[in-house]
Amino acid sequence: MIDFIQMIVSGVAVGSTYALMGLAMVIIYKTSEVPNFAQGEMALITSYFAMMLLTQMNMSVYLAFFLSFVFAVVLGCFLEFAILRRAKEPNVLGMIVITIGIEMIILGFVSWKFGADQKTMPFPIGPYDSFIIGDIFISKLAVLTLVTALLFMIILYLFFKYSKLGLAMKATQQNSVAAQIIGIRTNRTLMMTWGISSLVGASAGLLISPTIMHPFMMWDPMLKGFAAAVMGGMTSLPGAVIAAYMLGIIENLFGGYVSIEFKTVVAFVIIVLVLCIKPSGLFSKHYIKKV
Amino acid sequence: MANLLEVKNIETYYDLVYAIRGASLAVEEGSITAILGNNGAGKSTILKTIMGQIEDQPDKGIIEFNGKPIQHIDTDKIVRKGIAYVPEGREIFDELTVHEHLLMGAYTRKDSEEIKQDIDQVFKYFPVLKNRTNQWAGTLSGGEQQMLAIGRALMLRPRLLLLDEPSLGLSPILVKEIFSIIQEINSKGTTILLVEQNANMALSISSTGLILENGRFVMKGKSKDLLEDKDVKEFYLGIKSETSAKGYQRWKRKKAWR
Ligand SMILES: Nc1ncnc2c1ncn2[C@@H]1O[C@H](COP(=O)(O)OP(=O)(O)OP(=O)(O)O)[C@@H](O)[C@H]1O
Ligand SMILES: [Mg+2]
């Protein structure tokens, strides 16, 4: 029983990072209709940027993290402005290839600049700091990640539902011609979406980096986050978060009771199942276009 | 009165398609001006060109709003100058509610109190929309979507309203209703440039009418004169006269006018 509860707890912990990555991907997909495969590496480079500020410039954690978030937003805006916007007559396939290209470039850059070895992020909460309740270990970092993920989900949900900019972002995605003719600067709106998404993804990177820090650290969370986003219907923020926790928990239980080797594959088996049974995602409510 | 909008000899291409071949028009402040013409004549293209919706166009010519050139500037800036546009085929947001549409229509405005009043005003024009306040626009009927598109445009409090075939796909009763609402909007001070297939209706509410053919205006005049004009009667109003005029004859079988 203790084992079971511990597995659930770890599942929730890892699910939180998936949730943050899933949220980040949903935000971009909602406005650009591109699954952004560079999401993980955008978070990666932000994490290394934070580490650089902390170790080489001896900044305080707060300042370093604040600057890193600024960096993340600027990076997101820059990528949209400098690369994605330049695509002439873009189609989804072309855009996906571009995001994969960006991913490769950032990955290469980080490996070249910082080396491919495991680094340590000097973070005030270490990976082994835990609350102990009975016989259950709950890592403090996991709690912080959980809180961050839920907070982002709620803020983003309210933002898209009630704020003017959030509505404008949804409008731009649904019909960019109509958005322009009511005065929305669609280019700028799209750019801001990338900035916000980059910020959310970066928070995942920063929260993972105290535990794991090497150039491939974001691969697993990115792919699982993507899986969660797909399961959630790709446009639903709460959907992506719920799916992320389901994935984290199922994965851990599978790893504990069935096979540790195939633990990470479970996510993709689930995706395939979801796509076969309910391709619009588990939680999406979409208006089906009348033809 | 002065001209609010002046289009001077514009030419518009879609890549190699030469759609507008030197067209000029003036819209007097406070008036309703109607553009009529066959399918493919270029009516929608003129409105799209005015709104800056066709990249790098007009190729030639000048468009002046309130005395200042507005060609080759971004659509959102044109909107901010006070031109609202109801495009052909509605162009609504499928997954935004009716209420969200009206809020978005006021996107460039900051006066939230008056925005609320204007929403009420739109509901007065179109009471059906009020019952659908929180419904996704994609689930509205075609006619309701058309009303929503007009309502959304009104939320800008525009000085000039461009309407592209507002009667398309509406039942005859609704057409009458929409046209009387257009008149009411105009009487409250909004200048209107109207593109229509329903020539009879359009000419009866407008003061000036223009007829477009193959990207050129072939006739301009007071609407009441056009209503009496023999050629217009025959080819655009579907009223037969014995002697048909010159080159128009070949259009006879193609006419698509009510
Ligand atoms: N996107 C486009 N690309 C190429 N050609 C176009 C495009 N849009 C319109 N055209 C062409 O430009 C011409 C004018 O089209 P436009 O849509 O302005 O006609 P219209 O007068 O509005 O017709 P309708 O009454 O059917 O709406 C047509 O010959 C059309 O084929
Ligand atoms: Mg048209």
Side-chain angles (χ1 to χ4, degrees):
Chain A
M1 192 59 199
I2 296 292
D3 271 1
F4 179 76
I5 294 174
Q6 187 68 58
M7 276 178 224
I8 301 266
V9 168
S10 317
V12 170
V14 63
S16 299
T17 58
Y18 301 169
L20 284 169
M21 292 309 291
L23 283 174
M25 294 192 80
V26 166
I27 295 167
I28 286 187
Y29 190 82
K30 254 171 129 75
T31 44
S32 321
E33 299 199 323
V34 202
N36 174 20
F37 287 106
Q39 199 81 57
E41 270 56 38
M42 288 160 66
L44 174 75
I45 194 169
T46 309
S47 303
Y48 273 83
F49 178 78
M51 187 193 70
M52 202 175 76
L53 296 182
L54 286 169
T55 57
Q56 295 178 14
M57 315 191 78
N58 294 318
M59 272 184 201
S60 77
V61 176
Y62 294 112
L63 183 62
F65 271 41
F66 174 75
L67 289 179
S68 305
F69 283 133
V70 173
F71 173 84
V73 172
V74 172
L75 174 72
C77 293
F78 170 79
L79 289 177
E80 194 283 328
F81 178 80
I83 302 178
L84 282 121
R85 193 181 295 181
R86 307 299 141 190
K88 276 272 174 228
E89 289 170 28
N91 59 38
V92 172
L93 203 59
M95 296 296 249
I96 292 176
V97 173
I98 292 175
T99 66
I100 293 176
I102 297 173
E103 177 195 356
M104 297 300 184
I105 292 169
I106 300 180
L107 186 64
F109 176 80
V110 168
S111 312
W112 165 76
K113 180 99 173 59
F114 298 97
D117 51 326
Q118 166 79 25
K119 294 273 193 303
T120 43
M121 171 76 104
F123 193 70
I125 306 175
Y128 304 111
D129 296 345
S130 303
F131 301 111
I132 300 168
I133 302 169
D135 290 325
I136 315 275
F137 280 70
I138 303 177
S139 126
K140 287 184 178 169
L141 211 52
V143 174
L144 182 63
T145 315
L146 173 73
V147 172
T148 311
L150 294 181
L151 215 62
F152 265 123
M153 180 187 83
I154 293 166
I155 292 172
L156 289 169
Y157 183 80
L158 296 176
F159 172 76
F160 277 112
K161 200 153 175 72
Y162 297 108
S163 82
K164 198 167 163 182
L165 181 58
L167 275 181
M169 285 176 174
K170 281 204 288 194
T172 303
Q173 176 251 321
Q174 289 176 28
N175 189 336
S176 74
V177 168
Q180 282 171 23
I181 62 172
I182 55 177
I184 295 174
R185 300 179 180 95
T186 50
N187 276 339
R188 201 190 286 185
T189 308
L190 222 59
M191 189 172 90
M192 281 188 279
T193 333
W194 276 72
I196 294 174
S197 159
S198 176
L199 173 81
V200 176
S203 70
L206 290 172
L207 288 162
I208 290 169
S209 57
T211 321
I212 320 166
M213 192 158 191
H214 55 71
F216 294 96
M217 68 186 235
M218 292 309 293
W219 271 43
D220 192 56
M222 203 282 292
L223 285 174
K224 303 290 171 58
F226 178 53
V230 171
M231 277 171 70
M234 221 47 218
T235 56
S236 160
L237 297 167
V241 171
I242 296 168
Y245 286 113
M246 276 171 50
L247 268 187
I249 293 169
I250 293 174
E251 199 180 74
N252 259 295
L253 292 178
F254 189 87
Y257 292 118
V258 186
S259 149
I260 192 84
E261 286 84 7
F262 288 103
K263 182 178 152 184
T264 56
V265 183
V266 172
F268 299 98
V269 174
I270 297 175
I271 293 199
V272 172
L273 284 179
V274 168
L275 290 180
C276 291
I277 297 163
K278 194 160 181 296
S280 59
L282 294 178
F283 311 100
S284 78
K285 105 182 142 127
H286 252 297
Y287 155 73
I288 311 293
K289 252 204 180 66
K290 287 176 265 184
V291 185
Chain B
M1 262 209 215
N3 289 328
L4 185 58
L5 179 77
E6 259 184 74
V7 173
K8 294 175 185 165
N9 219 7
I10 54 164
E11 297 183 23
T12 299
Y13 289 82
Y14 292 103
D15 292 323
L16 294 177
V17 179
Y18 187 26
I20 302 299
R21 311 175 171 206
S24 304
L25 78 130
V27 179
E28 201 173 287
E29 178 135 39
S31 73
I32 299 182
T33 303
I35 300 177
L36 313 174
N38 267 309
N39 292 115
K43 305 180 297 297
S44 301
T45 306
I46 288 192
L47 296 193
K48 280 195 240 170
T49 310
I50 295 171
M51 289 308 292
Q53 277 290 299
I54 311 172
E55 216 181 334
D56 299 329
Q57 300 297 326
D59 190 55
K60 291 203 180 79
I62 297 171
I63 304 169
E64 281 179 355
F65 179 68
N66 206 20
K68 298 199 183 70
I70 57 163
Q71 74 275 17
H72 303 145
I73 66 176
D74 292 339
T75 301
D76 70 84
K77 293 210 184 72
I78 296 173
V79 173
R80 279 177 175 73
K81 288 181 189 296
I83 307 183
Y85 169 45
V86 179
E88 191 174 25
R90 288 143 206 172
E91 304 283 353
I92 49 140
F93 307 110
D94 285 340
E95 293 183 10
L96 292 190
T97 65
V98 167
H99 184 246
E100 287 168 336
H101 271 79
L102 299 181
L103 285 179
M104 283 286 103
Y107 182 76
T108 57
R109 292 171 53 185
K110 303 228 150 39
D111 46 345
S112 53
E113 264 317 300
E114 291 174 36
I115 289 174
K116 268 192 210 128
Q117 289 169 16
D118 288 0
I119 290 180
D120 288 339
Q121 181 60 48
V122 170
F123 286 150
K124 265 191 213 117
Y125 286 136
F126 306 109
V128 270
L129 293 181
K130 188 161 188 175
N131 307 324
R132 311 243 182 280
T133 309
N134 293 313
Q135 194 172 319
W136 271 352
T139 64
L140 298 177
S141 81
E144 290 162 348
Q145 290 180 354
Q146 184 68 57
M147 296 180 216
L148 182 60
I150 297 174
R152 184 183 63 192
L154 289 178
M155 290 303 297
L156 184 73
R157 286 206 175 173
R159 282 185 76 183
L160 174 66
L161 177 60
L162 311 182
L163 293 167
D164 198 343
E165 296 196 40
S167 73
L168 192 74
L170 302 186
S171 69
I173 300 171
L174 214 53
V175 171
K176 269 203 176 133
E177 214 173 295
I178 290 259
F179 274 98
S180 84
I181 289 169
I182 292 171
Q183 270 181 308
E184 194 179 336
I185 293 164
N186 174 251
S187 71
K188 290 186 179 159
T190 306
T191 309
I192 290 174
L193 177 58
L194 173 69
V195 162
E196 256 304 330
Q197 295 279 5
N198 191 332
N200 201 357
M201 271 291 186
L203 288 176
S204 61
I205 67 162
S206 61
S207 56
T208 309
L210 299 100
I211 293 175
L212 191 69
E213 251 173 46
N214 287 322
R216 288 194 190 91
F217 287 113
V218 294
M219 216 185 273
K220 294 182 193 188
K222 289 211 167 65
S223 299
K224 61 177 194 300
D225 297 342
L226 291 178
L227 273 172
E228 297 304 318
D229 187 276
K230 234 176 20 191
D231 294 338
V232 176
K233 265 188 174 165
E234 178 162 355
F235 301 112
Y236 297 107
L237 301 173
I239 303 165
K240 265 242 170 269
S241 64
E242 309 109 87
T243 51
S244 52
K246 37 192 166 163
Y248 290 120
Q249 197 125 32
R250 61 200 153 94
W251 295 102
K252 222 168 169 176
R253 268 162 287 127
K254 284 212 242 164
K255 74 183 171 208
W257 302 90
R258 276 168 275 174

